[in-house]
Amino acid sequence: MDQPPLSLPAVDSDDTGFQDFLRFSVFDNAPPPPSSSPTENDDVGVEEGPSRGSPNGGVEVDGEAAGDVPSCNEGSNYPSTTPDKRRVSWIHDYGPMADTLGGRCYSNTDSVALSEENSKISKSCDTTLSGHRMSGSSNASSRHRSSTVSMDGFWSKMTRKSEVWDYDDDVSDIYDSDDENMTSSCWDFFKLNARQTSRWFRATMKTAFTSKQVAVPCLLLFVFLVVAGCLIVWGFDQAATNSRKQQAIAIAEHTDQFFSRVLENAFVPLFTISAFVKEVPLFEALDSAVGERCDPSTTDCSNSTSAPLMAGQEETHRNLTGLFETDYGSATLTKFNKIAKDIKDHSGLGRSLVAIELAPKAVVSLIYPLVNCEDFDDGYCMNNTAVLGYDILNDPNQNAIARKTVSADDVVTAGPLTLIQGGETFIARWPINFDKGTNHSMDVDGMDYPCWGLAVVLLNWQTLKEDSNIYKEFENKKMQFMLTRTDIDGDTGEENVVIIAQSDRPELIKDDNVTLSLDTGDNGWVISVGYDDGFSPKYMPWALPIIIASANLFTLMMILVLVSKKEHERLLGNLMPPNAINKLRKGEIVVERYSNVTIFFSDIVGYTNMSTQMTPVEVMQMLSDLYTQMDFLAKKHGVYKVETIGDAYIAIAGAPHKCTGPEAAEKMTLFALDALQFVRNFKRRDDGTGIAIRVGLASGPVVAGVIGTSLPKYTLFGDTVNVAARMEQTSMKMKLQICPLTHRMLLDAPMHDFKYENRLDDDGELGIEVKGKGRQFTYWVTGASQLDEKHTRKSYSFANGDENA
């Protein structure tokens, strides 16, 4: 039953109408038309498929224009000349096609809208596609052969788009584009990018670690950065440490200067009171009034005029009560108090000077003030009464410094010491010496010294520390200090280090901190200074990880640059020879002449029909598997791959690396035989079936060069290219055809002996007709063997080809 005509969308000059037509429901609902069996003559050298000229648009192969293409009806398949109803036939871009709709056979170019109520097709027209091989040529048309191709595969694929375009898991690596349609959510998009980044990173690292040109410079850079970083950090650390130590030394020296200045100020009262002793007769006679020590236990002291020993303290004190109850003693005391008060008030030491003493014969006899309350806080008073009569030289615990003072010519300091009257006090003593021959002398350790006695000043240590501001100064600098003195036992000579002042955290003082000996004390004052966080900056512990991380970062950046450069050079090297790349970099024109090269052409037999039965991914996989191995064989035999055009593979020997004509022909023939051997065992991934190829070789001169600037391409020019293409087109399945010149070159091959057969035409005559060349006596190469018997013999045998491949 005939169906009413179906309304179809118009097909415009662009492909919009065609896409609308493909999306029309007829393809989703109509059953596929029966297919007609394809026919092809495999022995004929013209291949089904799109037109193909010489490689890279160089010297093209001549060919005929396609003949008229039949359609279901006799209507025109050409665009309408009516401006307002301009239509473009599918045959213009896609090939002839006709449909039978509603019992009527329509041309594909029929753009007349059919009735909208007709929505179904009850019958389809058996449609045939006349395949044409159109070899581009500017001056002639090549022969063609028509084959009827079933549209079953086409229509079934169009109705099963998912089978054509959906990506299988095993080929997921092929698709690296960030197609948002491939992900259903942001998380899927993130995972896709993460996988792609991971693959890219692994590939980059693999290239970096397997390439010496990348690994060695990057390793050297990493070592250099780590060493340089450590040296820089060490230099900054040393600079910061030295700066801090210098600052610590400066503060320590400032402290030393303060105490030295205080002691220098203390010397003034000593000098002044000693001058009064020498000038005032009352004071000068005081040493005689005190007299030499007389010990009743060893000597009869009944007639001695010296001050006696104090009862109960015979060893350390003399009793001066009787002396100062006399008029002389009272006058001397009054005079001393007056002079000492003036000295204290004008000393500039303030509350630090707590007492001035005179000790004739090293016996403390005069003290001002005797009781001192005004120089102390919190109601404390320094009572010096217990010190009157203290015999300094006879106190075994305190006499070392006194003995040293008698024999000295300068001020002797000591302290801070805990005195008899209490409190920590710094002591400065000055020996009051007279000229020898006077009545003033003292016997110390069997030595007689012209010494009247000692002038002594006592300085309050607590007040000195407060006036020095030592605590606040170190605290403001976030530093710790420890001030010590070293006492030496006069009997044993042992040293005893005593802490006389320290900060609140003295445990932070380390052995490597600044230690400075001060000039203030005669008993070895030493100040140790350190920072709360040490002299070395705190960034040292984490500087090394930062250096390593930074070195890794910069090394990774260099890896990326070098790998990118290497991959760029590799890709450029695959696209064109190194000498051509160098000339392009210099801005030169790349044109090179080669006098005798051999060119290889091959293509897949029945490729067009095969590709219609395969998905695009399967076609791509097949060609990738095939040509990857052929690339390996090309590298093995030292031939240069020019390019691939669809299913065609083009290579050259003797260029760009020059060699003799026989050597080039030998290399290329061995490559062609190996390629045929490989194709015999090649299996497609999709169904495990094999393929067959035709191969042709031609020798002669060519010109090679790079054309274009935006997309430069290395290509060949010359009649040799055309001849090689003809040798392939007129070849047969799984056979290697060579031109006469290649045959002549192989006769002189230096390393191999080749086997040949004469090419016969269909009538059994020698030679074949080659378009544009006339009759050519060509040859089949059926095998090869090495001439050098020292090496393993390698033979190839393809005498009859493989018609069943």
Side-chain angles (χ1 to χ4, degrees):
M1 176 178 178
D2 295 339
Q3 298 292 331
L6 181 66
S7 177
L8 298 175
V11 182
D12 298 328
S13 59
D14 58 9
D15 62 353
T16 305
F18 177 61
Q19 299 296 334
D20 293 339
F21 184 81
L22 294 181
R23 287 195 294 270
F24 198 68
S25 61
V26 62
F27 300 115
D28 294 330
N29 300 324
S35 62
S36 59
S37 300
T39 62
E40 63 173 304
N41 182 5
D42 290 329
D43 293 337
V44 179
V46 181
E47 177 196 349
E48 303 156 1
S51 63
R52 181 178 71 248
S54 69
N56 311 318
V59 177
E60 297 182 342
V61 181
D62 297 335
E64 297 178 354
D68 296 336
V69 180
S71 60
C72 287
N73 58 11
E74 299 301 325
S76 173
N77 285 328
Y78 293 92
S80 171
T81 57
T82 306
D84 57 344
K85 295 183 178 180
R86 189 165 68 87
R87 302 287 186 263
V88 176
S89 162
W90 288 6
I91 187 63
H92 185 65
D93 293 317
Y94 302 102
M97 188 180 303
D99 296 331
T100 300
L101 302 177
R104 172 174 169 242
C105 190
Y106 289 95
S107 167
N108 291 335
T109 57
D110 191 351
S111 58
V112 178
L114 303 181
S115 9
E116 296 181 356
E117 64 271 10
N118 301 326
S119 60
K120 295 184 179 179
I121 302 175
S122 61
K123 180 178 177 183
S124 63
C125 177
D126 289 342
T127 307
T128 60
L129 175 65
S130 179
H132 298 271
R133 167 88 180 259
M134 295 185 294
S135 299
S137 174
S138 61
N139 44 11
S141 299
S142 67
R143 73 183 104 142
H144 67 276
R145 107 184 120 84
S146 300
S147 63
T148 304
V149 180
S150 170
M151 296 305 295
D152 255 349
F154 178 82
W155 295 121
S156 61
K157 288 178 176 59
M158 294 307 298
T159 57
R160 295 183 291 108
K161 293 183 180 179
S162 61
E163 296 182 9
V164 179
W165 301 115
D166 284 356
Y167 308 137
D168 298 330
D169 292 339
D170 59 340
V171 295
S172 61
D173 289 345
I174 299 175
Y175 305 97
D176 289 334
S177 62
D178 296 336
D179 189 356
E180 295 181 357
N181 295 327
M182 296 176 64
T183 59
S184 59
S185 66
C186 292
W187 174 243
D188 293 334
F189 183 77
F190 172 78
K191 290 191 294 184
L192 174 65
N193 282 274
R195 287 194 299 269
Q196 293 173 353
T197 303
S198 177
R199 288 196 298 269
W200 167 80
F201 185 78
R202 289 196 301 268
T204 301
M205 291 298 102
K206 181 179 180 181
T207 303
F209 289 118
T210 56
S211 173
K212 292 182 179 179
Q213 292 84 353
V214 177
V216 173
C218 291
L219 179 61
L220 294 177
L221 175 65
F222 177 80
V223 174
F224 171 77
L225 290 176
V226 171
V227 173
C230 291
L231 290 176
I232 291 173
V233 172
W234 180 81
F236 277 106
D237 175 72
Q238 291 298 309
T241 300
N242 292 334
S243 176
R244 286 190 163 197
K245 286 186 176 181
Q246 292 299 324
Q247 188 175 8
I249 291 174
I251 295 178
E253 290 177 345
H254 180 265
T255 303
D256 182 30
Q257 292 172 1
F258 171 80
F259 287 112
S260 298
R261 185 172 62 253
V262 169
L263 292 181
E264 289 175 359
N265 291 337
F267 294 166
V268 175
L270 293 176
F271 297 154
T272 303
I273 196 66
S274 62
F276 276 104
V277 169
K278 293 181 179 180
E279 297 296 332
V280 177
L282 289 174
F283 297 144
E284 183 180 357
L286 188 58
D287 65 330
S288 299
V290 173
E292 298 291 340
R293 176 183 177 85
C294 181
D295 188 355
S297 61
T298 58
T299 306
D300 183 9
C301 300
S302 56
N303 296 322
S304 175
T305 58
S306 300
L309 302 181
M310 184 176 291
Q313 294 180 313
E314 290 82 358
E315 186 177 5
T316 59
H317 284 70
R318 305 271 291 276
N319 189 348
L320 302 178
T321 304
L323 174 60
F324 289 104
E325 287 180 349
T326 62
D327 294 338
Y328 168 75
S330 178
T332 303
L333 179 60
T334 302
K335 187 70 172 179
F336 172 77
N337 288 337
K338 182 179 179 181
I339 295 174
K341 182 178 183 305
D342 291 339
I343 293 174
K344 182 177 183 304
D345 292 341
H346 298 87
S347 66
L349 295 173
R351 299 175 64 189
S352 299
L353 182 58
V354 294
I356 299 176
E357 300 178 355
L358 278 178
K361 299 295 185 180
V363 177
V364 178
S365 304
L366 297 173
I367 302 176
Y368 178 83
L370 188 60
V371 178
N372 187 352
C373 296
E374 62 182 9
D375 293 330
F376 297 92
D377 298 325
D378 300 331
Y380 174 77
C381 294
M382 182 177 180
N383 190 350
N384 296 313
T385 304
V387 185
L388 286 174
Y390 177 61
D391 193 345
I392 301 174
L393 293 178
N394 285 287
D395 187 351
N397 297 322
Q398 302 289 341
N399 64 3
I401 299 177
R403 291 173 180 273
K404 181 179 178 181
T405 305
V406 172
S407 59
D409 293 329
D410 202 352
V411 177
V412 177
T413 59
L417 302 172
T418 302
L419 303 181
I420 297 175
Q421 59 270 38
E424 284 189 321
T425 306
F426 190 83
I427 304 174
R429 298 186 177 95
W430 173 268
I432 303 175
N433 296 321
F434 283 80
D435 295 334
K436 291 183 177 181
T438 61
N439 295 328
H440 308 288
S441 65
M442 292 180 61
D443 184 13
V444 177
D445 298 329
M447 294 290 295
D448 187 51
Y449 296 94
C451 181
W452 177 90
L454 306 176
V456 182
V457 295
L458 303 181
L459 302 175
N460 184 3
W461 177 239
Q462 185 63 34
T463 304
L464 283 177
K465 290 190 292 183
E466 293 175 358
D467 293 345
S468 68
N469 206 26
I470 185 173
Y471 291 102
K472 290 185 178 180
E473 187 169 7
F474 280 98
E475 182 180 358
N476 293 337
K477 298 294 184 180
K478 295 183 179 180
M479 300 171 67
Q480 304 295 324
F481 77 95
M482 181 182 294
L483 186 61
T484 63
R485 75 166 191 269
T486 302
D487 296 339
I488 301 177
D489 192 319
D491 297 331
T492 62
E494 295 182 357
E495 294 184 353
N496 181 31
V497 178
V498 180
I499 298 175
I500 57 178
Q502 64 182 7
S503 57
D504 56 347
R505 300 176 64 189
E507 68 276 4
L508 297 178
I509 304 297
K510 306 295 182 181
D511 295 337
D512 59 343
N513 287 337
V514 171
T515 299
L516 184 66
S517 297
L518 305 185
D519 296 332
T520 52
D522 290 330
N523 52 347
W525 279 27
V526 175
I527 185 170
S528 298
V529 181
Y531 281 85
D532 294 349
D533 54 355
F535 286 101
S536 180
K538 287 301 181 184
Y539 57 74
M540 284 299 295
W542 43 264
L544 184 59
I546 290 182
I547 290 173
I548 295 177
S550 301
N552 280 324
L553 178 61
F554 282 102
T555 303
L556 179 60
M557 294 173 62
M558 184 175 181
I559 287 176
L560 296 179
V561 171
L562 293 181
V563 169
S564 177
K565 181 175 180 295
K566 183 176 179 63
E567 290 299 315
H568 177 69
E569 292 177 349
R570 183 182 65 83
L571 291 175
L572 284 178
N574 290 337
L575 295 175
M576 58 186 67
N579 58 344
I581 296 174
N582 293 333
K583 288 184 178 181
L584 287 177
R585 286 174 175 170
K586 297 176 183 178
E588 300 176 0
I589 298 176
V590 181
V591 177
E592 297 171 325
R593 296 176 177 84
Y594 299 95
S595 59
N596 199 346
V597 300
T598 300
I599 297 177
F600 170 97
F601 265 72
S602 75
D603 68 354
I604 300 174
V605 177
Y607 171 75
T608 302
N609 184 39
M610 184 188 306
S611 62
T612 60
Q613 306 300 321
M614 301 168 62
T615 65
V617 171
E618 291 169 348
V619 174
M620 188 200 67
Q621 286 178 336
M622 178 190 70
L623 294 179
S624 177
D625 294 342
L626 175 64
Y627 292 145
T628 297
Q629 183 62 25
M630 292 186 69
D631 290 344
F632 171 77
L633 295 176
K635 184 177 181 181
K636 170 186 173 183
H637 290 285
V639 303
Y640 183 78
K641 172 187 175 183
V642 178
E643 66 174 320
T644 58
I645 305 175
D647 63 321
Y649 191 96
I650 307 169
I652 185 172
H657 303 292
K658 294 183 179 180
C659 62
T660 63
E663 289 175 342
E666 180 183 45
K667 290 180 181 180
M668 187 58 77
T669 305
L670 292 175
F671 163 70
L673 292 174
D674 262 355
L676 287 170
Q677 180 64 39
F678 161 70
V679 173
R680 287 173 59 88
N681 302 320
F682 179 80
K683 302 297 180 183
R684 286 163 39 186
R685 285 195 199 180
D686 53 341
D687 56 7
T689 60
I691 63 172
I693 63 173
R694 288 186 298 267
V695 180
L697 302 184
S699 300
V702 295
V703 173
V706 176
I707 57 176
T709 55
S710 61
L711 187 62
K713 197 170 187 180
Y714 185 79
T715 188
L716 305 176
F717 300 87
D719 188 58
T720 306
V721 182
N722 188 51
V723 174
R726 292 301 183 192
M727 290 297 100
E728 174 268 317
Q729 291 170 1
T730 58
S731 182
M732 292 185 179
K733 182 188 299 184
M734 297 304 294
K735 283 195 172 185
L736 170 58
Q737 181 176 223
I738 63 175
C739 74
L741 183 56
T742 304
H743 174 259
R744 181 64 188 83
M745 294 295 104
L746 290 178
L747 293 177
D748 297 330
M751 298 295 295
H752 290 79
D753 183 23
F754 295 91
K755 298 178 182 179
Y756 317 95
E757 288 183 3
N758 293 323
R759 173 72 188 270
L760 304 178
D761 61 10
D762 295 339
D763 298 329
E765 299 292 334
L766 284 175
I768 59 170
E769 289 294 331
V770 177
K771 185 66 176 179
K773 297 296 180 180
R775 194 163 189 85
Q776 295 288 317
F777 296 98
T778 63
Y779 302 86
W780 303 117
V781 178
T782 60
S785 59
Q786 289 181 342
L787 295 175
D788 187 0
E789 296 296 335
K790 295 181 180 179
H791 297 84
T792 303
R793 180 173 295 277
K794 183 177 182 181
S795 298
Y796 306 83
S797 181
F798 304 102
N800 299 319
D802 188 357
E803 299 296 336
N804 299 320

